[in-house]
């Protein structure tokens, strides 16, 4: 709460053309994607969906670029009061909380399958006797063979936690340290330190993504572990895939902050854009630790 | 919607609204956006209502008269989706937009551009959802709860667009809720401590928290569906080691808090209206806050009471039964407090008060039938019958919808500067009250007698009460045109409202002129003595 005598004007833009373009952009993107998926499934040869999707992505990308540019510009013009900055802080925190809940749904699915489904589908446990479809089926985790191998072919092996996932864990944990050093750079007013260590962090993020891509390639070609291999492939690729998508976004955010740092943005008092990206980065880091533990080590 | 007067220009930052239609498209003003939400919600209410009347027309008599079973399934599904996501939720967000900044003495919502974005996603989302009626295979036909595998292996191709429409609604809700939480945490006027906030603000604060927590889970479950349908994953397919029941767990982890998302703001509205017309302070303010928080907490740990008959282990059935019944305690605290507020009050019965009292009585009926459904062995009988339909329509129609109507009558003089027509308002109330009860009370009987929900045809013994129910539905449905007329009449003119509007009204929103100026509290108010509702 700001005290009455210290009241600063709260900046409310009079109007904005950005949101309607963003609404239209997200609509086109998703409508195009829906058409793409349905055309793919129906085996229809049409580029309508792709065209709408590409248009939507361009509108959305352009609008987001313009939107963030406007916010950065307004911030540089000192239009934002301390109270406004607190709104951004709270907003980002609650956004990250919503992301936590998104991952919770997928982790929840994994735990439910591990704890209940594996037993029940093999005829064991309280609901076991209700399984009458596959009386011969012997499940165990990781579930590399499935009850219905025609539709879900299963896999030869799973991805072992050593070496690739372990290397990735080291990469991400190191990146959390480097980004903290960059943050110290801002606090000390040392731009060279900021730029160097932030650059390191972005590179570590990119290496992580390359290792992850290689791991997927290895799983598909050498192990036969695919998205439709059954529930193990499902949970493995969905959890690590969504995490990878978030690392991509986080790396992009840090890269933006890197270029802003080069342009001379950020001071000890005013660096929330940077901090928001760092929070996001720590969030994907924590999710990875959960993945490493529950998907790679305890999950296999 | 209203002829909003321009505030005096005592500095350069005070603008009135823009001219023309683009005002509504580009606006960042919380009052404009609130108005947009409320009109959009009313449009969706009428759309969902037309679908409901299609259902009731078909059920007027046994046999297939008007629609084929395929279309009937689409009608029930789309009715539920549109009413939940298009009518009730946006209406409460509209009220939040209009009222929260005025109630806590803030200049606007905390993130005004994002506020506009939250709204304008919705017409696109519902445009996409409604367009599924014209697609090959028709609209979603798997019920608003879209259980797998009905919604995956056996769904029409339009399910892909349903999924993306739900994603857009979720994005809108999450951004809208973040805005509400940030506004309440960061924008309160000095002296407006948390325990001085009006209960409408408190209930929305907790609702917004629920939304941020569960809308991502809904996004998760529809994403799992999308992957199962298009990319061969096995989340909900036992053949691949998944489980269709997993769908229900994830869905209801979202779905049960969602139920409270649609009722907690209603509690806030009623807690504002009853003290005004009883001319007494709200009884037990603190206990109301704690009861709301308790209900929100419990909403996360009771989800499987929707799934008693799918075959969950006995320990699970017992736990979810007792946890569910526990919700009756904080809800009972609330009902007690509303009644105690009215006790020995100097009561008058203007339209908002009539709707609020009807809310207390009829919502309690819906709550008690909920307690019956919570009992596992009883639920084995009631599950998927019209008793369930009667139960949740009692909490949603004379619950949520009545509270929204009460709110509109209560605050519309502040929004437009004019009083609504009291005689017409009371007529609207009585028509709605009779219509709702004639529609939904008989559904308890046919449900207990064994009529299943979501079917276009039924056995002869259910005929009489179905006919009664259909008559009530048409009465209730067409009464809402009177509501539309009253609102438009009030916008266009009428007796001028005073600033306080209601003799017993307290709170910051009643200290500013009627109609509320385009910008209010650009500097925070200093006196909080009026603040405590």
């Amino acid at each position: 709460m700001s005290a009455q005598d210290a009241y600063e004007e709260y900046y409310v833009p009079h109007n904005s053309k950005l949101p309607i373009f963003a609404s239209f952009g997200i609509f086109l993107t998703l409508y195009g994607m829906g058409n793409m998926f349905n055309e793919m499934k129906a085996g229809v040869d049409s580029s309508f969906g792709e065209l709408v999707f590409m248009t939507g992505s361009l509108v959305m990308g352009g609008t987001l670029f313009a939107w963030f540019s406007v916010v950065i510009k307004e911030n540089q013009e000192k239009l934002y009061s301390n109270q406004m900055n607190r709104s951004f802080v709270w907003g980002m925190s609650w956004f990250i909380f919503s992301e936590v809940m998104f991952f919770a749904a997928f982790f929840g699915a994994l735990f439910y399958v591990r704890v209940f489904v594996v037993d029940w589908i093999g005829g064991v446990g309280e609901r076991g006797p209700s399984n009458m479809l596959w009386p011969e089926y012997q499940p165990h985790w990781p579930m590399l063979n499935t009850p219905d191998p025609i539709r879900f072919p299963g896999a030869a092996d799973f991805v072992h936690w050593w070496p690739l996932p372990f290397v990735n864990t080291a990469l991400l944990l190191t990146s959390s340290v480097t980004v903290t050093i960059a943050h110290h750079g801002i606090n000390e007013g040392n731009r060279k330190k900021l730029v160097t260590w932030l650059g390191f962090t972005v590179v570590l993020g990119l290496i992580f993504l390359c290792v992850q891509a290689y791991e997927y390639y290895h799983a598909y070609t050498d192990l036969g572990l695919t998205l439709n291999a059954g529930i193990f492939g499902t949970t493995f690729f969905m959890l690590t895939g969504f995490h990878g998508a978030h690392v991509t976004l986080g790396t992009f955010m840090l890269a933006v902050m890197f270029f802003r740092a080069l342009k001379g943005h950020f001071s000890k008092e005013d660096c929330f854009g940077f901090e928001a990206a760092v929070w996001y980065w720590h969030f994907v880091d924590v999710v990875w630790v959960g993945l490493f533990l529950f998907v790679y080590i305890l999950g296999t | 919607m209203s002829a909003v007067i321009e505030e005096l220009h005592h500095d350069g930052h005070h603008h009135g609204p823009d001219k023309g239609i683009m005002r509504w498209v580009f606006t960042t003003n919380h009052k404009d956006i609130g108005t947009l939400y409320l009109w959009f919600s009313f449009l969706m209410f009428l759309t969902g209502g037309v679908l409901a009347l299609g259902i009731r027309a078909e059920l007027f008599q046994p046999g297939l008269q008007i629609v084929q079973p395929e279309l009937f399934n689409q009608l029930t599904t789309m009715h539920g989706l549109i009413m939940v996501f298009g009518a009730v939720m946006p209406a409460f967000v509209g009220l939040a937009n209009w009222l929260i900044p005025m109630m806590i003495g803030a200049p606007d919502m905390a993130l005004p551009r994002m506020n506009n974005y939250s709204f304008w996603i919705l017409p696109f989302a519902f445009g996409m959802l409604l367009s599924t009626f014209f697609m090959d295979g028709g609209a979603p036909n798997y019920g608003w709860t879209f259980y797998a595998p009905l919604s995956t292996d056996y769904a029409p191709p339009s399910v892909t667009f349903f999924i993306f429409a739900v994603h857009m609604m979720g994005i809108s809700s999450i951004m809208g809720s973040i805005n509400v939480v940030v506004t309440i945490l960061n924008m309160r006027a000095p002296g407006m401590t948390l325990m001085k906030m009006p209960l409408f603000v408190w209930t929305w604060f907790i609702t917004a928290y629920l939304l941020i927590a569960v809308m991502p889970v809904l996004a998760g479950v529809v994403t799992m569906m999308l992957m199962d349908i298009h990319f061969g994953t096995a989340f909900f397919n036992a053949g691949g080691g998944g489980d269709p029941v997993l769908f229900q767990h994830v869905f209801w982890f979202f779905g049960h808090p969602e139920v409270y998302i649609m009722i907690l703001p209603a509690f806030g509205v009623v807690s504002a209206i009853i003290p005004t017309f009883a001319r007494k302070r709200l009884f037990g303010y603190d206990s109301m806050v704690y009861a709301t928080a308790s209900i929100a907490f419990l909403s996360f740990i009771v989800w499987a009471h929707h799934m008693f008959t799918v075959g969950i282990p006995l320990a699970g059935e017992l736990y979810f039964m007792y946890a569910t019944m526990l919700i009756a305690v904080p809800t009972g605290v609330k009902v007690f407090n509303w009644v105690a507020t009215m006790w020995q009050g100097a009561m008058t019965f203007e339209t908002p008060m009539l709707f609020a009292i009807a809310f207390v009585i009829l919502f309690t009926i819906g709550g008690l039938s909920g307690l019956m459904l919570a009992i596992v062995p009883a639920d084995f009988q009631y599950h998927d019958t019209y008793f369930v339909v009667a139960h949740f329509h009692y909490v949603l129609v004379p619950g949520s919808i009545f509270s929204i109507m009460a709110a509109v009558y209560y605050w519309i003089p502040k929004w437009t500067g004019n009083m609504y027509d009291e005689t017409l308002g009371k007529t609207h109330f009585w028509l709605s009250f009779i219509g709702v009860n004639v529609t939904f009370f008989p559904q308890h009987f046919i449900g207990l007698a064994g009529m299943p929900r979501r079917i276009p045809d039924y056995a002869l013994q259910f005929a009489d009460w179905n006919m009664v129910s259909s008559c009530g539905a048409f009465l209730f449905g067409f009464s809402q045109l009177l509501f539309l007329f009253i609102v438009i009449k009030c916008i266009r003119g009428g007796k001028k409202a005073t600033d306080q509007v209601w003799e017993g009204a307290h709170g910051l929103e009643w200290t500013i002129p009627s109609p509320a100026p385009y910008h209010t509290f650009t500097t925070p108010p200093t006196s909080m003595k009026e603040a405590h509702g």
Side-chain angles (χ1 to χ4, degrees):
Chain A
M1 299 255 82
S2 57
Q4 175 65 21
D5 46 23
Y7 181 74
E8 305 167 278
E9 181 96 13
Y10 194 87
Y11 177 68
V12 179
H14 176 55
N15 58 27
S16 173
K17 296 184 175 59
L18 294 163
I20 192 70
F21 279 100
S23 302
F24 191 54
I26 199 170
F27 169 76
L28 285 181
T29 308
L30 292 179
Y31 186 72
M33 210 190 272
N35 276 298
M36 269 164 66
F37 290 173
N38 277 5
E39 286 159 8
M40 190 175 75
K41 189 166 175 152
V44 182
D45 189 27
S46 157
S47 54
F48 172 73
E50 284 159 37
L51 202 67
V52 177
F53 171 73
M54 296 302 283
T55 315
S57 308
L58 285 177
V59 174
M60 195 66 205
T63 310
L64 285 180
F65 184 81
W67 197 324
F68 282 102
S69 308
V70 166
V71 173
I72 292 167
K73 187 164 147 282
E74 284 169 355
N75 185 45
Q76 299 292 314
E77 287 166 3
K78 308 278 178 230
L79 284 171
Y80 294 165
S81 60
N82 287 325
Q83 194 183 16
M84 185 85 211
N85 285 328
R86 274 198 303 276
S87 288
F88 288 133
V89 170
W90 280 117
M92 189 66 192
S93 321
W94 287 94
F95 169 66
I96 290 177
F97 173 67
S98 79
E99 292 271 47
V100 169
M101 291 307 293
F102 182 78
F103 275 97
F106 287 89
F107 273 107
L110 173 68
F111 297 152
Y112 181 82
V113 170
R114 289 288 308 275
V115 175
F116 298 114
V117 176
V118 175
D119 280 351
W120 295 349
I121 213 166
V124 184
E126 185 148 14
R127 300 307 308 169
S130 65
N131 174 25
M132 283 167 273
L133 284 172
W134 301 284
E136 306 300 317
Y137 178 65
Q138 294 290 332
H140 57 86
W141 194 267
M143 201 184 271
L144 298 178
N145 60 329
T146 64
D148 178 3
I150 295 168
R151 186 166 166 186
F152 302 100
D157 200 0
F158 52 84
V159 179
H160 295 261
W161 66 270
W162 177 269
L164 291 183
F166 183 81
V167 170
N168 261 349
T169 310
L171 284 172
L172 272 195
L173 291 179
T174 313
S175 74
S176 261
V177 177
T178 53
V179 87
T180 306
I181 300 174
H183 202 170
H184 283 288
I186 294 183
N187 288 346
E188 296 156 11
N190 184 342
R191 189 153 304 271
K192 193 166 164 236
K193 190 173 176 181
L194 163 66
V195 172
T196 313
W197 289 97
L198 191 52
F200 266 128
T201 314
V202 174
V203 170
L204 286 171
L206 291 174
I207 298 174
F208 173 93
L209 288 169
C210 293
V211 174
Q212 192 73 1
Y214 174 73
E215 183 186 301
Y216 279 12
Y217 173 77
H218 170 63
Y220 262 76
T221 52
D222 303 335
L223 308 177
L225 180 61
T226 62
L227 195 55
N228 69 337
I231 195 67
F232 183 81
T234 297
T235 50
F236 174 78
F237 282 110
M238 290 303 286
L239 276 163
T240 55
F242 269 118
H243 176 263
H246 283 74
V247 173
T248 310
L249 181 60
T251 308
F252 183 75
M253 286 162 75
L254 289 175
V256 171
M257 298 309 149
F258 176 76
F259 289 113
R260 285 188 66 189
L262 284 180
K263 283 184 77 176
H265 292 194
F266 306 128
S267 62
K268 190 177 181 208
E269 293 73 31
D270 185 13
C271 62
F272 182 67
F274 173 82
E275 283 178 336
V278 172
W279 290 354
Y280 198 80
W281 194 248
H282 288 316
F283 152 71
V284 296
D285 205 7
V286 170
V287 171
W288 176 261
V289 173
L291 283 176
F292 187 59
L293 215 57
F294 293 112
V295 176
Y296 289 102
I297 295 184
L298 300 174
T300 57
Chain B
M1 111 184 181
S2 56
V4 181
I5 60 159
E6 283 194 29
E7 205 185 11
L8 289 172
H9 286 69
H10 56 258
D11 67 54
H13 293 285
H14 286 232
H15 301 285
D18 289 343
K19 300 279 180 285
I21 188 82
M22 294 326 257
R23 162 189 176 186
W24 301 102
V25 179
F26 299 147
T27 184
T28 49
N29 180 286
H30 72 102
K31 299 181 181 84
D32 282 354
I33 293 171
T35 304
L36 285 169
Y37 265 112
L38 287 168
W39 275 114
F40 176 77
S41 140
F42 191 72
L43 186 67
M44 287 295 115
F45 179 58
L46 293 186
T47 311
V50 168
L51 302 179
L53 292 186
I55 294 166
R56 282 319 315 173
E58 175 54 46
L59 294 175
F60 184 72
Q61 283 185 329
L64 294 178
Q65 277 92 17
I66 298 171
V67 295
Q68 290 303 301
E70 291 77 15
L71 182 58
F72 186 89
N73 286 341
Q74 297 172 28
L75 290 181
T76 53
T77 304
M78 293 291 274
H79 163 72
L81 290 169
I82 287 171
M83 286 303 197
V84 168
F85 294 104
V88 175
M89 290 168 68
F92 282 128
V93 183
L95 292 173
N97 258 294
W98 251 106
L99 297 170
I100 289 176
M102 298 201 302
M103 284 177 161
I104 62 173
D108 204 297
M109 296 294 277
L111 304 158
R113 277 186 283 242
M114 196 173 82
N115 202 14
N116 175 302
Y117 190 26
S118 309
F119 171 76
W120 276 106
I121 285 182
L122 285 179
F124 289 102
F126 282 89
M128 186 138 83
L129 184 64
L130 285 166
S131 74
T132 59
F133 268 120
F134 308 102
M135 290 178 184
D136 280 346
N141 58 3
Y142 24 74
W144 88 272
T145 51
F146 51 100
Y147 282 7
L150 273 182
S151 60
T152 52
D153 279 1
Y154 305 104
S158 64
V159 65
T160 314
F161 296 97
F162 156 82
I163 289 169
F164 286 133
V166 169
H167 271 307
M168 289 169 77
M169 295 167 204
I171 292 167
S172 159
S173 283
I174 291 169
M175 289 193 301
S177 317
I178 288 177
N179 224 335
V180 168
V181 172
V182 175
T183 305
I184 294 171
L185 285 174
N186 192 32
M187 307 280 286
R188 279 169 290 129
M192 177 66 79
T193 58
L194 285 175
M195 290 310 273
K196 277 187 184 154
M197 296 194 307
L199 260 175
F200 180 76
V201 181
W202 254 115
T203 52
W204 239 113
F205 183 48
I206 292 167
T207 302
Y209 166 73
L210 289 180
L211 276 165
I212 301 172
V214 300
M215 291 313 277
V217 177
L218 176 68
V221 77
V222 292
T223 305
M224 293 177 199
M225 279 168 59
L226 185 78
M227 298 306 287
D228 272 16
I229 293 167
H230 291 289
F231 298 97
T233 56
F235 282 112
F236 308 133
N237 194 315
D243 188 351
V245 176
L246 170 63
F247 172 89
Q248 297 184 29
H249 281 292
V250 187
F251 174 80
W252 283 115
F253 185 83
F254 146 79
H256 201 75
E258 168 70 16
V259 174
Y260 295 129
I261 286 161
M262 293 190 285
I263 203 66
L264 293 184
F267 291 168
V269 167
V270 170
S271 303
I273 291 173
I274 288 181
T276 295
F277 296 100
R279 290 165 181 78
K280 277 175 65 191
R281 282 272 159 111
L282 181 71
F283 184 89
Y285 172 90
D286 291 15
S287 67
M288 284 299 220
V289 173
Y290 299 134
T292 311
S294 310
I295 292 171
F297 170 73
L298 288 171
S299 76
F300 284 107
I301 56 169
V302 296
W303 74 89
H305 66 215
H306 298 269
M307 308 161 49
F308 283 150
T309 60
V310 301
I312 49 178
L314 181 63
E317 310 243 73
L318 285 173
Y319 160 74
F320 282 108
M321 171 168 82
Y322 290 124
T324 302
M325 294 169 110
L326 210 55
I327 299 172
V329 177
T331 313
V333 168
K334 290 194 149 290
V335 174
F336 178 86
N337 284 349
W338 290 321
V339 175
T341 305
M342 288 188 271
W343 186 257
Q344 294 196 325
M347 302 237 285
T348 51
F349 298 93
E350 286 84 348
T351 311
M353 183 63 161
L354 289 174
F355 274 105
I357 295 173
F359 171 94
V360 174
I361 296 165
L362 299 181
F363 175 78
T364 305
I365 292 176
L368 291 173
S369 61
L371 266 180
M372 292 169 71
L373 288 162
I375 301 165
V376 173
D379 182 71
F380 281 15
Q381 289 291 314
Y382 307 151
H383 189 87
D384 261 350
T385 68
Y386 256 83
F387 190 78
V388 178
V389 177
H391 156 69
F392 67 72
H393 279 91
Y394 256 85
V395 289
L396 279 173
V397 186
S400 306
I401 303 269
F402 268 26
S403 83
I404 293 162
M405 288 170 179
V408 170
Y409 283 113
Y410 184 58
W411 279 292
I412 205 171
K414 180 56 66 188
W415 300 339
T416 64
N418 304 320
M419 299 303 287
Y420 60 88
D421 186 321
E422 190 65 57
T423 314
L424 287 180
K426 282 182 173 150
T427 312
H428 171 233
F429 167 75
W430 285 109
L431 289 173
S432 298
F433 180 82
I434 293 166
V436 153
N437 284 293
V438 172
T439 309
F440 296 114
F441 211 79
Q443 294 182 1
H444 290 109
F445 311 147
I446 50 177
L448 291 178
M451 176 165 159
R453 63 191 283 207
R454 291 171 175 162
I455 52 154
D457 189 8
Y458 49 83
L460 286 180
Q461 77 254 30
F462 307 127
D464 291 348
W465 287 121
N466 265 302
M467 191 177 280
V468 172
S469 180
S470 290
C471 292
F474 276 84
L475 174 65
F476 179 76
F478 281 93
S479 306
Q480 305 323 311
L481 296 178
L482 179 60
F483 182 47
L484 176 64
F485 175 77
I486 296 168
V487 170
I488 291 173
K489 186 164 180 263
C490 180
I491 294 166
R492 293 171 64 93
K495 193 163 135 284
K496 290 289 157 230
T498 61
D499 290 356
Q500 202 193 356
V501 182
W502 310 106
E503 177 191 52
H506 297 281
L508 282 178
E509 80 268 32
W510 307 111
T511 63
I512 56 182
S514 300
Y518 198 57
H519 291 289
T520 40
F521 300 125
T522 31
T523 50
T526 47
S527 166
M528 284 297 125
K529 78 174 183 292
E530 283 291 310
H532 202 315

